[in-house]
């Protein structure tokens, strides 16, 4: 294992805490998405850029979310909930079409077929990444579904 991979492994196991006082959702690169970034601190990793990036599709049903833990701009842990396309694992050749986790350096998809709310997925992500998320939870600004009224 190379030095960076060992450093990432130590970082993944290290306790982390979010320094944001709130979760702020903003429009993403595409108007159907909202994104939020959470800055992190981890003991022993003070000189590194560490953060969580979240994205949520605002209109799609079933819901689609993405969570990524970044270490110096390298995605080291990811969770893709409700993906639009299958992920093909290069080592096994198996396709995963449900929600899945990926971990540096192989990024082989690990299926997770649970149906959870955004809040519970975020909690699961933080638990796996050893993140203490003190910021009050704010869900993504999903579009409100309006019922159409027909006049007869």
């Amino acid at each position: 294992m190379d030095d960076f991979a060992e450093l990432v492994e130590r970082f993944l196991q290290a306790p982390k805490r979010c320094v944001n006082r709130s979760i702020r959702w903003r429009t993403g690169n595409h108007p159907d998405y909202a994104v939020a970034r959470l800055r992190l601190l981890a003991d022993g990793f003070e000189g590194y850029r560490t953060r969580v990036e979240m994205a949520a599709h605002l209109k799609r049903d079933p819901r689609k979310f993405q969570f990524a833990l970044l270490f110096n701009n390298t995605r080291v842990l990811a969770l893709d909930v409700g993906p639009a396309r299958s992920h093909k694992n290069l080592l096994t050749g198996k396709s995963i079409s449900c929600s899945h986790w990926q971990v540096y350096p192989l990024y082989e998809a690990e299926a997770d077929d649970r149906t959870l709310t955004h809040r519970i997925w975020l909690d699961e992500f933080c638990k796996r990444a050893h993140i203490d998320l003190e910021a009050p939870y704010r869900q993504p600004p999903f579009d409100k579904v309006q019922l159409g009224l027909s006049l007869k």
Side-chain angles (χ1 to χ4, degrees), residues 46-80:
E46 289 80 6
Y48 297 92
R49 291 189 65 214
T50 59
R51 67 188 184 280
V52 169
E53 291 187 355
M54 300 185 290
H57 196 287
L58 302 177
K59 300 177 182 186
R60 190 168 172 267
D61 190 29
R63 300 277 195 219
K64 176 176 175 34
F65 317 121
Q66 296 169 318
F67 303 85
L69 174 61
L70 290 108
F71 178 72
N72 264 11
N73 295 323
T74 298
R75 188 178 64 145
V76 296
L77 176 66
L79 171 59
D80 192 5

Side-chain angles (χ1 to χ4, degrees), residues 103-147:
V103 182
Y104 178 90
L106 299 177
Y107 300 117
E108 291 288 289
E110 173 190 322
D112 191 331
D113 61 1
R114 296 178 291 174
T115 303
L116 306 172
T117 64
H118 183 270
R119 172 61 194 252
I120 303 297
W121 280 119
L122 176 59
D123 290 344
E124 291 294 309
F125 185 82
C126 288
K127 187 184 319 177
R128 185 156 178 180
H130 305 282
I131 297 170
D132 181 9
L133 181 64
E134 294 179 9
Y137 176 73
R138 278 188 58 211
Q139 79 171 14
F142 299 118
D143 278 1
K144 304 288 188 269
V145 177
Q146 294 185 348
L147 299 175

Side-chain angles (χ1 to χ4, degrees), residues 1-65:
M1 187 179 292
D2 67 12
D3 291 341
F4 186 72
E6 290 174 15
L7 187 65
V8 167
E9 182 61 33
R10 284 197 344 259
F11 172 71
L12 285 171
Q13 297 307 315
K16 300 162 208 55
R17 63 191 177 285
C18 175
V19 299
N20 296 61
R21 287 194 265 178
S22 65
I23 296 174
R24 295 176 59 193
W25 290 97
R26 301 188 187 286
T27 304
N29 291 336
H30 188 283
D32 289 346
Y33 281 88
V35 296
R37 291 177 180 85
L38 305 173
R39 292 180 300 123
L40 302 175
L41 291 177
D43 292 337
F45 295 91
E46 289 80 6
Y48 297 92
R49 291 189 65 214
T50 59
R51 67 188 184 280
V52 169
E53 291 187 355
M54 300 185 290
H57 196 287
L58 302 177
K59 300 177 182 186
R60 190 168 172 267
D61 190 29
R63 300 277 195 219
K64 176 176 175 34
F65 317 121

